[in-house]
Amino acid sequence: MEKGLEIIQYVLGLGPTVILPIAIFFIGLFFRVKPGRAFQSAITVGIGFVGINLVIGLLSENLGVASQQMVERFGLELTVIDAGWPSAAAAAWASPVAAILIPIIIAVNLFLIFIKFTKTLDIDIWNFHHFMGVGAVGYIVTGNIFWAIFVAVLMEVIVLKVADMFAPTIQEFYGLPGISLPTGATVSYGLIGVPIGWLISKIPGIKNIEISPETIQKRFGVFGEPMIMGLIIGIVIGLLAGYDVGSAFQLGISLGAVMLLMPRMVKILMEGLLPISEGARTYLQTRYKDREIYLGLDAALAIGHPANISVGLILVPITLFLAVIIPGNKVLPFGDLATIPFYTAYITASRKGNIFHSVIAGAIVISLGLLMATNFAPVHTEMMQGLDQFTKLGSDISSLDTGGASLKWLILKLSQLVAPLFN
């Protein structure tokens, strides 16, 4: 048993570029896709995610340094470090409850499909860390393994149902037929951000302002191209960070490259998913003629859209500004700044790519997220104790991905409420 767990932990430690192709391959076989085709699809998906990760790495490395220098330049006093989603995910996978939750999460998903509660078959195994993370939080707060399992399953049930609700909007706007996005943080921000975006679209004066990649390109010609928008945004951020003109231009080129390359990486990934999606649709139609099943995948599929990534980049300096002016906030945004397009994916789709409305809604949601992440910091810091590199920082740790996600924060509050019952 111990050896088996070691093997599982080893495979999971290889990350989504290995886990997802393995999952895709076996899902393809299950849906009667020929082994050779399933293998080719799986490898293509893996390559697509490698490309996406390279572009995200380019974004994170360049944007992270610029953001940190911007913070230092303006002398910001923030005591909680935003360690970012990779650290939160690693801590979730390393938590005591992770091993037992893997089969439970899969079994619950299959059961919910069987009873027609959800249409989403969540094959994004790496992002199970969102469910495991709340399980770890529940265990830290109450010390009870059964409560930890309960809150992890509760999170899964809510995320799958919300992913179902938003799937038609996601499929239409991002051009992802048969796909839903059950990424925990994306759903959490969308739950608050989509209603806020709707309200913004009803405000007189503001509701008539339409700014989209298409309108920008139409009005500004070549300057409205996504890569040129990335260039301009990068230069502005670089200058705010105190870069010289040459270094600011280098940052602009990097962000322009992100705007150009990300949609192409997503396209490669979608080429790999297409045979699996077709196989699943054919298989399910023959057995459940009245059923529609969505393949649940990483919200990374949505960040390549010019409107969404524009919203995310614009929100970077806004997030830093909000961190300074919001009373009670102690979080220094850093690790998750490059992840903001994940948080705005539902919001941008619901506003049909209106960048203006999406940025306003995103700013409001992130403001709330900063306060939640501040409140979450003590438990988040305790969750990180299994990762040696973070115990040496000497400060509290949180993240927008976990601490600032509304569903995770609500489950923290629920766990703290019932904790006396377990003592």
Side-chain angles (χ1 to χ4, degrees):
M1 180 69 177
E2 185 176 344
K3 187 66 175 177
L5 287 175
E6 288 179 4
I7 293 173
I8 292 173
Q9 288 290 349
Y10 171 76
V11 174
L12 294 177
L14 297 175
T17 56
V18 172
I19 295 172
L20 191 57
I22 292 173
I24 290 290
F25 176 70
F26 285 107
I27 291 288
L29 294 182
F30 177 81
F31 287 129
R32 304 294 189 268
V33 178
K34 293 181 179 179
R37 190 86 184 277
F39 181 75
Q40 184 179 12
S41 292
I43 298 303
T44 303
V45 168
I47 291 171
F49 257 99
V50 168
I52 288 173
N53 286 339
L54 287 173
V55 179
I56 291 175
L58 175 67
L59 178 64
S60 180
E61 290 168 11
N62 288 277
L63 197 55
V65 173
S67 301
Q68 189 174 37
Q69 291 194 22
M70 196 186 308
V71 167
E72 293 173 357
R73 186 184 184 205
F74 292 102
L76 309 185
E77 295 292 334
L78 301 168
T79 58
V80 178
I81 296 175
D82 168 21
W85 76 265
S87 61
W93 279 106
S95 69
V97 298
I100 192 172
L101 282 176
I102 297 169
I104 291 174
I105 290 168
I106 294 172
V108 167
N109 189 185
L110 293 174
F111 175 72
L112 294 177
I113 290 175
F114 177 75
I115 65 172
K116 299 185 178 181
F117 178 84
T118 183
K119 298 178 181 180
T120 295
L121 176 63
D122 189 356
I123 62 174
D124 185 16
I125 296 175
W126 171 254
N127 271 319
F128 283 6
H129 75 78
H130 292 286
F131 310 138
M132 294 174 186
V134 296
V137 166
Y139 185 70
I140 289 170
V141 173
T142 67
N144 188 283
I145 187 68
F146 296 106
W147 179 259
I149 293 171
F150 170 73
V151 292
V153 170
L154 176 63
M155 174 84 173
E156 179 186 14
V157 170
I158 295 172
V159 165
L160 291 174
K161 198 62 180 178
V162 174
D164 284 350
M165 291 168 52
F166 284 102
T169 301
I170 294 297
Q171 291 170 13
E172 179 182 357
F173 182 74
Y174 293 114
L176 301 172
I179 301 297
S180 67
L181 304 178
T183 304
T186 304
V187 168
S188 294
Y189 281 90
L191 269 176
I192 300 177
V194 170
I196 291 174
W198 180 84
L199 287 173
I200 290 169
S201 71
K202 303 300 178 183
I203 298 174
I206 292 178
K207 69 179 182 180
N208 296 323
I209 300 176
E210 173 70 32
I211 301 177
S212 66
E214 292 76 21
T215 56
I216 292 173
Q217 190 169 344
K218 183 177 179 180
R219 292 183 183 182
F220 298 99
V222 67
F223 292 99
E225 292 282 350
M227 63 178 178
I228 305 300
M229 291 168 58
L231 172 69
I232 294 170
I233 293 170
I235 291 173
V236 171
I237 292 174
L239 293 175
L240 288 173
Y243 286 10
D244 59 44
V245 175
S247 297
F249 188 75
Q250 285 181 327
L251 178 61
I253 290 291
S254 295
L255 297 194
V258 169
M259 296 285 277
L260 179 67
L261 294 174
M262 186 62 77
R264 301 189 182 190
M265 296 303 103
V266 172
K267 184 179 180 182
I268 292 173
L269 191 142
M270 287 305 301
E271 288 175 2
L273 288 175
L274 188 59
I276 306 300
S277 180
E278 291 175 348
R281 192 173 293 110
T282 301
Y283 177 88
L284 293 167
Q285 283 177 348
T286 58
R287 286 160 178 77
Y288 306 100
K289 297 185 184 301
D290 61 335
R291 300 290 301 276
E292 182 180 20
I293 303 294
Y294 306 138
L295 292 182
L297 291 169
D298 195 318
L301 290 175
I303 71 171
H305 193 283
N308 190 46
I309 200 165
S310 296
V311 170
L313 292 178
I314 293 169
L315 281 171
V316 168
I318 293 175
T319 298
L320 290 167
F321 177 69
L322 290 171
V324 177
I325 66 170
I326 293 175
N329 174 60
K330 298 295 182 183
V331 175
L332 169 61
F334 178 64
D336 276 328
L337 285 174
T339 317
I340 292 176
F342 285 81
Y343 307 149
T344 59
Y346 279 20
I347 299 170
T348 305
S350 71
R351 294 298 93 225
K352 301 185 185 302
N354 188 323
I355 295 173
F356 183 72
H357 291 174
S358 300
V359 167
I360 296 175
I364 295 171
V365 173
I366 288 174
S367 299
L368 297 173
L370 287 167
L371 292 174
M372 286 186 279
T374 298
N375 180 257
F376 212 119
V379 174
H380 200 298
T381 302
E382 188 172 349
M383 187 175 73
M384 303 295 288
Q385 293 304 306
L387 303 178
D388 293 339
Q389 63 268 39
F390 291 101
T391 60
K392 302 172 184 176
L393 288 176
S395 64
D396 282 342
I397 300 166
S398 193
S399 66
L400 289 172
D401 179 81
T402 291
S406 59
L407 283 177
K408 298 180 184 182
W409 183 81
L410 287 171
I411 287 176
L412 167 67
K413 296 292 106 179
L414 179 62
S415 297
Q416 291 173 335
L417 181 66
V418 303
L421 301 176
F422 298 102
N423 296 329

